[in-house]
Amino acid sequence: GNYVMQNFLVHSTREQRMAILNLMKGSIPHLSKQAHGCRVVQKAIEVAPPAQRNWLVYEICITEEMILSCSRDSHATHCLQKAVAVLQRSQK
C-alpha cells in the first residue's frame, strides 16, 4: 500500500511521478485524512516539482474552512505541517 506508493514516488522516473501526482489531483483532502493516505500525500509534497507541489498544497489550503478542517484532523495536520516545512525550505 502506502509504502509502495511512497517508494514509487521517490524512485520513479519524472514521467511516472507526474502520472501518480495527476491521479492524486482532486483527492488530496480525502487522502490527507486517512492514516495511510496522509503518508503518501506528505511524500508527494516532498518530492513533487514546484508547480505540482503548489496544487497539492492548494487543495488542502483552498479555503479557511479546509485549513481548519485539516488542522483539526489527526492525520491531515501532518500534511499541513509537511507543506509548511517544504515551502519554507524552498524559500531559502
Side-chain angles (χ1 to χ4, degrees):
N2 82 80
Y3 294 114
V4 172
M5 291 307 298
Q6 289 178 64
N7 279 308
F8 202 73
L9 282 167
V10 171
H11 301 292
S12 60
T13 66
R14 184 182 188 292
E15 292 78 22
Q16 292 168 327
R17 187 176 303 118
M18 294 305 294
I20 294 169
L21 293 171
N22 285 329
L23 287 172
M24 293 173 67
K25 199 176 237 181
S27 300
I28 301 304
H30 178 72
L31 289 169
S32 295
K33 293 179 180 182
Q34 297 176 2
H36 300 294
C38 76
R39 291 177 175 89
V40 176
V41 171
Q42 289 176 72
K43 186 57 72 176
I45 290 170
E46 191 176 303
V47 302
Q52 285 69 30
R53 182 183 316 129
N54 289 345
W55 61 253
L56 288 168
V57 173
Y58 177 77
E59 283 195 32
I60 56 174
C61 297
I62 191 167
T63 63
E64 184 177 340
E65 183 178 317
M66 180 62 72
I67 294 169
L68 289 173
S69 173
C70 288
S71 68
R72 292 179 183 135
D73 184 88
S74 61
H75 303 296
T77 190
H78 296 290
C79 296
L80 288 174
Q81 291 171 4
K82 176 61 80 174
V84 169
V86 169
L87 293 173
Q88 282 179 334
R89 279 195 307 259
S90 71
Q91 296 297 313
K92 293 180 180 180

